[in-house]
């Protein structure tokens, strides 16, 4: 436990990002070792095949036959239990046909063909795993961001830095500037300005007064505050969000691999043709010859190659797709659900217009002068809207004036002398108390007013809003053309604000004033699936994990949302959501063409092999040509999504 005197006016800085959220780039040698450790059978099969070819060149056919046959037999025996368990559970995959092909080639002495089949079997699985990328680490990211210590008041107003798990209801805590509120509690200070965007999605700061509830996970403003804990860390809002992510992640249903859907009919057809050939020829070699060319290598590699190409294309576009199952779900998506703040909107207030006092007395300044004076005074304000006012002045190419005697009223506004004028900028209460002629006219949904008084006279207001992204309407239209027919807005904002944004964007269904639990329940209730959920912020982490496809707008570094999602848009560009769906559709289409092309070529080769004109080794080589055609076609997924709707 560390003890220190309180310094309520000193900022401790914003919470540091969690350590361990990224992985260092491995040297080439280490990557090779890691590959061998992850896929030992692939590496060993490649070495055995290489050794066999070298020994054949040296004329050592007898030891080669023993080595190749023995290794192939060991691999088959090792994989049989897994295959039997899968068959008992009713999961028909592609292992049965591949292992029967290996076993039959071993039985008739075609060990080289057996090794080639094993390499393609294990290599295809490795390629599929590689295409999936790293698994999501949402719980680790959430825990890394969570506060570790709380500043608890002890005797003589000394602050004890105690582990957050030691905080009990009734403890008095101090939260310094820019720190996370450690547990749910009651505000003891007179007022506080908090950023709750990570919990509710609301981009505007929330003002709290003495006695009001503070939620854990919200970020304190620029002034230290005192609070009384009303819950333990485990019972607070932030921990509930972590629990929701864990529950939603574990409840997602698995998606059947694309190739497995075609394995059963292809397997029965191959066995029927091979058995017929054996029966007609009276030679078991004919059975092996047919199965070698029937080996489902196109089924093994078509989808992984296409999916790897699709994820690569997406990465070049600033879209990280974490696993191959997601590409299938993107291709079939029927419903898209959006968060509001930071997703459909920019998440940062901007100047909408300047409302000038228009009564009989008139305004003491023009709109441009009001903006210039307000922006000059706001240079000395720590309020989140101050930056937006200054940016508006810069966009209007207005020069900021020198300021003297600036005084800020916490959470209320700022007074300053700018260019010889006395300027008051801030909330209605502050400006009304320090000026005459104040008029607080009505605002539309989603708007917020920054009032301005000059030399004791009310001048007008800067009306701010969080605008709809410029590409939102076009993105929703493209999603509809891609087959996503249903859209929904889920937000923690008030209903009037949410309805206004939904109308602008063209979204059909709105559900407002949602907590994270409400969002998860709303997504679970949607019948037309798969469901895409597009969000940003810690509050969206549970629903991103619960949706069929969670898409995180990761440009602002919302780590928990990014790690909970299946897709992360690295650029601050909503149109990438539609592009991800287009890439998914293109990738699955290419994979299906590859599968059907491979199946068609394999059936043709099986028909010829039934006549005995294709020896087993020749059949294995011909099968490799089929594999090459499948791979080349699968690589078409590297390009072409832009040409889709």
């Amino acid at each position: 436990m560390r003890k220190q005197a309180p310094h309520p006016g000193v900022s401790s800085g914003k919470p540091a990002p969690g350590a361990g959220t990224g992985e260092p780039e491995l040297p080439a040698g280490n990557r090779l070792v890691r590959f061998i450790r992850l896929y030992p059978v692939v590496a060993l099969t490649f070495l055995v095949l290489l050794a066999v070819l070298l020994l054949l060149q040296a004329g050592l056919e007898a030891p080669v036959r023993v080595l190749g046959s023995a290794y192939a037999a060991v691999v088959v025996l090792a994989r049989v239990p897994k295959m039997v368990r899968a068959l008992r559970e009713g999961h028909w995959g592609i292992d049965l046909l591949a292992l029967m092909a290996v076993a039959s080639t071993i039985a008739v002495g075609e060990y080289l063909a057996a090794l080639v089949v094993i390499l393609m079997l294990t290599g295809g699985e490795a390629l599929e795993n590689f295409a999936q990328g790293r698994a999501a680490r949402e719980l680790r990211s959430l825990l890394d961001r969570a506060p570790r210590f709380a500043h608890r008041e002890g005797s003589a107003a000394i602050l004890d830095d105690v582990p957050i798990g030691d905080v009990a209801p009734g403890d008095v805590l101090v939260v310094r500037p820019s720190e996370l509120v450690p547990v749910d509690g009651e505000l003891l200070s007179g007022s506080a300005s908090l950023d709750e965007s990570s919990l509710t999605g609301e981009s505007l700061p929330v003002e709290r007064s003495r006695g009001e509830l503070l939620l854990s996970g919200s970020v304190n403003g620029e002034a230290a505050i005192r609070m009384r804990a009303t819950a333990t860390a485990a019972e607070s809002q932030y921990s509930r969000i972590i629990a929701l992510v864990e529950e939603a992640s574990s409840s997602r249903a698995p998606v059947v691999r694309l190739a497995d859907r075609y394995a059963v009919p292809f397997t029965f057809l191959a066995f029927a043709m091979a058995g017929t050939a054996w029966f007609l020829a009276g030679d078991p070699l004919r059975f092996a010859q047919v199965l070698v060319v029937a080996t489902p290598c196109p089924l093994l590699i078509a989808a992984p190659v296409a999916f790897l190409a699709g994820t690569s294309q997406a990465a070049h576009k600033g879209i990280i797709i974490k696993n191959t199952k997601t590409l299938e779900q993107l291709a079939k998506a029927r419903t898209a659900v959006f968060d509001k703040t930071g997703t459909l909107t920019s998440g940062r207030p901007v100047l909408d217009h300047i409302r000038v006092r228009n009564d009989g007395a008139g305004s003491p300044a023009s709109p441009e002068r009001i903006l210039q004076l307000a922006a000059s005074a706001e240079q000395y304000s720590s309020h989140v809207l101050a930056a937006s006012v200054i940016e508006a002045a810069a966009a209007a190419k207005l020069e900021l004036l020198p300021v003297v005697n600036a005084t800020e009223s916490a959470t209320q506004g700022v007074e300053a002398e700018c260019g010889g004028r006395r300027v008051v900028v801030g909330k209605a209460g502050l400006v009304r108390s320090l000026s005459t002629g104040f008029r607080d006219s009505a605002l539309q949904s989603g708007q917020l007013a920054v009032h301005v008084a000059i030399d004791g006279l009310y001048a007008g207001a800067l009306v701010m809003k969080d605008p709809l992204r410029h590409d939102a309407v076009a993105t929703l239209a493209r999603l509809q053309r891609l087959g996503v027919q249903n859209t929904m807005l889920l937000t923690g904002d008030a209903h009037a604000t949410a309805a206004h944004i939904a109308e602008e964007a063209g979204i059909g269904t709105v559900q407002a004033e949602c907590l994270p639990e409400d969002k998860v329940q709303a997504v679970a209730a949607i019948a037309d699936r798969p469901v895409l959920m597009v969000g940003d912020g810690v509050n969206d982490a549970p629903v991103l994990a619960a949706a069929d496809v969670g898409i995180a707008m990761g440009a602002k570094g919302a780590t928990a949302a990014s790690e909970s999602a299946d897709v992360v848009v690295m650029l601050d560009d909503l149109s990438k959501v539609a592009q991800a769906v287009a890439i998914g559709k293109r990738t699955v289409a290419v994979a299906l063409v590859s599968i059907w092309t491979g199946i068609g070529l394999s059936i043709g080769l099986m028909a010829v092999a039934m006549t005995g004109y294709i020896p087993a080794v020749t059949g294995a080589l011909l099968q490799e040509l089929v594999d090459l055609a499948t791979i080349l076609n699968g690589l078409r997924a590297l390009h072409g999504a832009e040409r889709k709707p």
Side-chain angles (χ1 to χ4, degrees):
M1 179 185 299
R2 298 169 305 192
K3 292 190 176 183
Q4 57 188 28
H7 298 285
V10 180
S11 171
S12 62
K14 292 186 178 181
T21 56
E23 293 182 1
E25 185 69 21
L26 295 175
N30 291 351
R31 288 198 295 269
L32 178 60
V33 171
R34 185 171 181 269
F35 177 83
I36 293 173
R37 187 170 66 249
L38 290 175
Y39 310 112
V41 180
V42 180
L44 186 58
T45 303
F46 180 79
L47 291 176
V48 170
L49 186 58
L50 182 62
V52 164
L53 294 176
L54 291 176
L55 291 174
L56 283 176
Q57 290 293 325
L60 303 174
E61 184 173 353
V64 165
R65 182 182 301 275
V66 174
L67 173 64
S69 299
Y71 176 76
V74 169
V75 172
V76 170
L77 291 175
R79 295 182 69 99
V80 164
K82 177 183 176 182
M83 181 194 69
V84 171
R85 284 195 302 270
L87 292 175
R88 284 178 176 175
E89 294 171 359
H91 302 310
W92 281 74
I94 49 183
D95 282 354
L96 177 61
L97 182 56
L99 295 184
M100 286 298 296
V102 174
S104 63
T105 50
I106 293 173
V108 297
E110 298 291 347
Y111 57 90
L112 187 60
L115 292 176
V116 172
V117 174
I118 290 173
L119 183 62
M120 296 311 299
L121 174 66
T122 57
E125 293 171 348
L127 186 61
E128 185 173 24
N129 290 334
F130 179 74
Q132 289 180 356
R134 295 182 304 177
R137 300 190 305 267
E138 61 272 5
L139 290 178
R140 185 194 307 173
S141 299
L142 283 168
L143 291 171
D144 283 344
R145 184 181 181 274
R148 298 287 192 271
F149 292 90
H151 311 306
R152 184 170 64 188
E153 279 192 3
S155 59
I158 298 297
L159 293 185
D160 296 339
D161 284 358
V162 299
I164 190 172
D166 292 346
V167 175
D171 287 348
V172 176
L173 309 175
V174 171
V175 184
R176 293 176 176 154
S178 300
E179 285 188 340
L180 287 169
V181 175
V183 296
D184 293 352
E186 175 189 353
L187 180 62
L188 299 178
S189 300
S191 63
S193 178
L194 299 165
D195 177 4
E196 295 184 354
S197 59
S198 63
L199 299 174
T200 65
E202 174 53 60
S203 59
L204 300 176
V206 176
E207 309 296 341
R208 299 296 183 196
S209 302
R210 186 192 308 272
E212 289 192 308
L213 176 66
L214 304 183
L215 296 177
S216 63
S218 53
V219 181
N220 187 27
E222 298 298 323
I225 59 174
R226 297 174 69 247
M227 60 175 287
R228 178 180 289 108
T230 58
T232 63
E235 297 171 343
S236 294
Q237 178 74 8
Y238 200 84
S239 294
R240 288 201 296 269
I241 290 178
I242 294 175
L244 279 170
V245 173
E246 184 176 29
E247 180 182 355
S249 297
S250 62
S251 65
R252 277 188 293 193
V255 180
V256 178
R257 287 192 306 173
L258 186 65
D260 290 344
R261 300 168 193 167
Y262 305 92
V264 174
F266 185 77
T267 298
F268 280 122
L269 177 62
F271 279 135
M273 295 179 71
T276 301
W278 185 0
F279 175 78
L280 294 177
D283 185 357
L285 177 61
R286 195 67 54 84
F287 183 85
Q289 290 172 337
V290 174
L291 284 190
V292 164
V293 295
T295 301
C297 293
L299 291 176
L300 289 167
I301 64 178
V305 168
F307 288 171
L308 181 59
T311 54
S312 177
Q313 182 193 13
H316 283 295
K317 304 296 183 183
I319 305 166
I320 305 302
I321 299 176
K322 295 183 179 179
N323 54 69
T324 56
K325 295 182 294 186
T326 297
L327 282 165
E328 290 190 63
Q329 296 290 75
L330 283 169
K332 300 183 296 182
R334 299 290 300 167
T335 301
V337 182
F338 294 87
D339 177 48
K340 184 185 79 68
T341 305
T343 304
L344 284 177
T345 66
S346 63
R348 184 180 180 88
V350 299
L351 179 64
D352 185 40
H353 64 275
I354 301 173
R355 187 174 295 175
V356 179
R357 176 181 175 182
N358 59 0
D359 58 12
S363 173
S366 65
E368 293 77 13
R369 183 64 170 170
I370 292 174
L371 177 58
Q372 182 185 37
L373 290 171
S376 300
E378 291 279 37
Q379 294 178 89
Y380 291 84
S381 173
S382 59
H383 199 277
V384 66
L385 292 176
S388 298
V389 173
I390 294 171
E391 288 176 3
K397 298 181 179 180
L398 298 175
E399 182 180 356
L400 298 185
L401 303 173
V403 176
V404 294
N405 298 326
T407 303
E408 182 175 19
S409 299
T411 75
Q412 297 298 310
V414 63
E415 303 174 61
E417 292 184 15
C418 312
R421 311 292 293 272
R422 187 67 183 173
V423 181
V424 182
V425 184
K427 290 185 176 180
L430 176 68
V431 177
R432 181 188 290 112
S433 66
L434 297 176
S435 67
T436 59
F438 180 86
R439 289 182 176 273
D440 191 3
S441 53
L443 298 172
Q444 295 181 0
S445 297
Q447 292 182 339
L448 183 145
V450 177
H451 297 278
V452 183
I454 302 173
D455 292 334
L457 298 175
Y458 181 69
L462 308 176
V463 180
M464 317 294 289
K465 72 173 184 178
D466 188 9
L468 187 72
R469 288 179 183 265
H470 71 279
D471 53 359
V473 175
T475 297
L476 287 163
R478 189 182 185 198
L479 284 172
Q480 188 172 33
R481 294 196 299 271
L482 288 166
V484 182
Q485 299 299 319
N486 306 307
T487 54
M488 183 177 187
L489 176 62
L490 287 179
T491 179
D493 279 0
H495 189 273
T497 302
H500 176 73
I501 290 295
E503 184 179 1
E504 281 191 81
I507 292 178
T509 306
V510 178
Q511 188 166 329
E513 301 178 5
C514 296
L515 292 174
E517 296 94 332
D518 302 325
K519 293 184 178 183
V520 171
Q521 293 170 3
V523 167
I526 296 175
D528 203 359
R529 311 186 82 90
V531 175
L532 310 180
M533 174 65 205
V534 188
D536 172 60
V538 175
N539 67 300
D540 294 320
V543 70
L544 288 175
D548 298 310
V549 178
I551 303 179
M553 301 293 292
K556 295 183 180 180
T559 305
S562 300
E563 295 296 344
S564 297
D566 305 291
V567 180
V568 179
V569 177
M570 303 302 294
L571 306 175
D572 195 15
D573 185 352
L574 186 64
S575 68
K576 297 296 182 181
V577 173
Q579 192 169 45
V581 174
I583 290 173
K585 283 187 169 293
R586 166 74 173 172
T587 300
V588 171
V590 168
L592 288 174
V593 169
S594 295
I595 288 172
W596 282 111
T597 300
I599 288 176
L601 292 174
S602 294
I603 291 175
L605 289 175
M606 283 192 291
V608 177
M610 289 178 68
T611 66
Y613 284 102
I614 302 181
V617 175
T618 303
L621 296 176
L622 289 174
Q623 184 63 43
E624 290 307 304
L625 294 178
V626 175
D627 299 340
L628 180 61
T630 301
I631 290 172
L632 292 176
N633 185 74
L635 290 176
R636 290 192 303 115
L638 280 168
H639 310 284
E642 292 84 355
R643 295 195 296 268
K644 293 294 178 181

